[in-house]
Amino acid sequence: MSNSSATSQQSSNGQNATAQSNNGNNSNQQQVQGSSQQGGINNADQALTAARAKYGDGNGNYHWTVMYDADTGQPIRNDDGSYFVKAIDPTQGTMTGTAQSVNVYPDGSMTNN
């Protein structure tokens, strides 16, 4: 991925995870939105794009990330098929910078934590 960066975290179940940001472009976003409406969320990039489309970019401050398994380097897909994504905003003034925490489900629905 271009324009990406990674940070490591340990999830609540003890699994090492890496959050990797994706600063996708508009043409990719439209392509993924079209495919997500037809076939659901099939991968981490689609989950990131769907969350970004719904919750925005915080006036350019948000850096959307998805949790990656630090051992395999693969995106973590939860047992229910969802991806955990979040927006990090360094201007939030919090220790983690988390502005949005979202589970994106295979059908395209989302829950904001």
Side-chain angles (χ1 to χ4, degrees):
M1 273 187 251
S2 61
N3 298 329
S4 65
S5 60
T7 57
S8 293
Q9 293 182 343
Q10 188 170 26
S11 64
S12 60
N13 65 4
Q15 183 177 20
N16 287 330
T18 301
Q20 185 167 348
S21 66
N22 176 345
N23 298 325
N25 59 42
N26 288 338
S27 63
N28 183 37
Q29 182 175 355
Q30 289 182 358
Q31 175 186 3
V32 172
Q33 281 180 326
S35 63
S36 66
Q37 290 173 353
Q38 295 171 359
I41 302 298
N42 298 307
N43 59 52
D45 286 337
Q46 290 177 345
L48 284 168
T49 300
R52 185 183 302 111
K54 182 171 183 175
Y55 295 104
D57 70 354
N59 294 319
N61 292 326
Y62 288 1
H63 301 281
W64 284 95
T65 65
V66 63
M67 297 309 290
Y68 279 76
D69 184 302
D71 295 328
T72 66
Q74 297 298 310
I76 296 173
R77 191 164 201 171
N78 297 318
D79 291 339
D80 61 6
S82 69
Y83 290 95
F84 177 73
V85 299
K86 66 182 190 172
I88 298 186
D89 181 352
T91 67
Q92 283 289 315
T94 64
M95 183 169 31
T96 64
T98 300
Q100 300 280 341
S101 295
V102 180
N103 279 322
V104 181
Y105 297 92
D107 66 358
S109 64
M110 296 177 219
T111 56
N112 191 327
N113 302 318

